[in-house]
Amino acid sequence: LRAPVVVFGGSYGGMLAAWLRLKYPAAVVGAIAASAPVLAFDGMWRGAAAKPWDGNLYWQVVTRDASAAAGAEGACAPAVRAAWPHIDRL
């Protein structure tokens, strides 16, 4: 059976879907990559949109999502920050 293949994924799975399409364009005719930070990696910017790599930019966006400005409870981002030392000790 030969049928067109479209891959789907969200977040990490979305990055895998996009990269699968880039790596095997003859096998995968399309990719839906929802909430996939595929440009959050060094070397992914090309052409006129090229920008210097800023490894903190992705985490700034993630942190904003956990802020009151994005609709989260005001204590959300500070609570996540406070949890990291406990996670690191595991």
Side-chain angles (χ1 to χ4, degrees):
L1 173 69
R2 289 196 49 83
V5 174
V6 177
V7 292
F8 296 83
S11 192
Y12 177 67
M15 292 188 306
L16 294 177
W19 291 332
L20 186 68
R21 169 73 173 116
L22 289 170
K23 178 110 176 133
Y24 301 104
V28 179
V29 299
I32 305 296
S35 300
V38 293
L39 297 178
F41 295 91
D42 195 10
M44 294 302 291
W45 289 93
R46 303 211 191 303
K51 299 177 183 176
W53 171 244
D54 180 356
N56 289 318
L57 192 57
Y58 172 76
W59 295 113
Q60 289 171 11
V61 172
V62 171
T63 300
R64 186 190 181 287
D65 285 347
S67 73
E73 291 292 326
C76 185
V80 172
R81 278 191 199 98
W84 280 115
H86 301 286
I87 293 168
D88 288 338
R89 284 196 302 266
L90 295 177

